[in-house]
Amino acid sequence: MQLIFEKSVEGKRGIKIPRSDVPEAGEIPKGYQRVKAPSLPEVSELDVVRHFTRLSRLNFSIDANFYPLGSCTMKYNPKFTEQIAGLSGFSGLHPFLPFLSEDLVQGALEVIYETERLLGEITGMDAFTLEPLAGAHGELTGLLLITAFHKYHGQPKRYVIVPDSSHGTNPASAAICGYEVIIIPSDKDGCMDFKKYKERLNDEVAAVMLTCPNTLGLFNPHIKEIADLAHKAGALMYYDGANLNAIMGKIRPGDVGFDVVHLNLHKTFATPHGGGGPGAGPVGVKKELASFLPVPRVIKKDEKFVLEENLPHSIGSIAPFYGNFGVILKAYAYILLLGKSGLISVSEHAVLNANYIRARLKDYYHLPYDRICMHECVFSAVKQAKNGVHAIDIAKYLIDMGFHPPTMYFPTIVKEALMIEPTETESKQTLDQFIEAMIEIARLAEENPQMIKDAPTTTPVKRLDEVKAARNPDLRWKGE
Ligand SMILES: *Cc1c(COP(=O)(O)O)cnc(C)c1O
């Protein structure tokens, strides 16, 4: 296969640069001139189209295949929201425009203002910032808000409590904010051990960070008691909203005692993700924390939207400009498109789909927590591992069968974990195909384990040294 650089022929062109329609600025000063022209491939438009089309086919995408990655909500996002984000009235906005005059961006500011309100309604929070650029960034922002809150009340604190099933970003964000992390083990039902939680809770705890449903896809029935106890001890409740897809319209974190939430717009609200972004991790708070929110804030003054920069208690700016506006816009369009009943049915179908898979596969794979699940279910490949077939082998074989593997080896408290989140956007036919593939793998693990261990056989590269691939990626064509 020839790469684009190898197709290069001197003098070949794919574009015609239009004549300049602005006055020429004269010579570029010497120090800024290129010493040597960059060596770019010289190719036709067709060469470029074929190059990128070929690359796109090497990529595993939700537009082409089922992608049941757990804890990530890799759902299909309607193309409609992309069209909205592409409207030139939005996409052509320069981020400096509001500094010239807010009158030039009233529509965009209204989108931010209204999205904050809609997310507040969905989560039961009083105020939102849409600035954080990812879930992890939202966690950092939320913990900075919590720190500011405790400081303001003259009670700086030392610890953050997380359960051992939590996403790695939770303890990491707490540590970055300077907290010591207390990890509470899970009980036999897969929830944070309530007794151990009570033992470890004390008046130096700043926050209890929970994902609910948690990363095992399980809802914690003690959530209200956990929150009440935290509040009694002077701690705040932090809701990691990565799994909001399971509960929209059913329960609001703000109604069961959470004080701060982050959402992942790129999981629940119609921004495709993977490949590192862009995403958005808005943070919502109860009114007691609203004055600490980052600036600028969009506020409404005499029927006009303005950006407020001077808020004395604010933690300051945490992202350039106003966050990832295109992502916010897509979430806004998605919420309006679905409406209340639509969002409720998203959660209902996400949960139904996960339970369908759970019920149909539990005779073939070990189910460590055999309860009704929410939007995802976690199996363990311990049965298959007895024949030498590990979670990673199952994942590779699924690729050959045309499915993206589920999340593996997470949460870490489940041995040989296979964490499956089908999402609401998949049909019963697709789920059945996936289930049949998983049953076939379970059969092969008994009868011909080597076949699974040899996978993948259909991909351009076979098994990688995954540590080396992550630590030492070889991404650039060097012309060798
Ligand atoms: C994805 C995820 C995060 C982190 O969110 P990013 O947007 O990837 O930074 C945090 N917690 C849970 C449970 C998640 O699934």
Side-chain angles (χ1 to χ4, degrees), residues 393 396-398 400 450-457 463:
D393 305 313
K396 298 297 182 194
Y397 199 79
L398 276 172
D400 278 348
Q450 194 54 41
M451 207 170 149
I452 301 176
K453 299 194 68 68
D454 289 341
T457 56
R463 295 224 184 181

Side-chain angles (χ1 to χ4, degrees), residues 175-193:
I176 286 176
C177 277
Y179 289 105
E180 287 170 51
V181 179
I182 297 176
I183 296 174
I184 309 290
S186 302
D187 62 15
K188 62 174 194 342
D189 293 328
C191 290
M192 182 167 80
D193 189 309

Side-chain angles (χ1 to χ4, degrees), residues 71-72 134-136 139 167 169-170 211 215 240 242 262 264 266-267:
S71 196
C72 274
E139 292 171 29
H167 194 269
T169 50
N170 291 185
T211 311
T215 61
D240 176 331
H262 88 250
N264 306 58
H266 48 289
K267 291 183 182 174

Side-chain angles (χ1 to χ4, degrees), residues 394-410:
I394 294 170
K396 298 297 182 194
Y397 199 79
L398 276 172
I399 297 174
D400 278 348
M401 296 179 104
F403 299 102
H404 194 283
T407 296
M408 291 174 304
Y409 301 112
F410 181 81

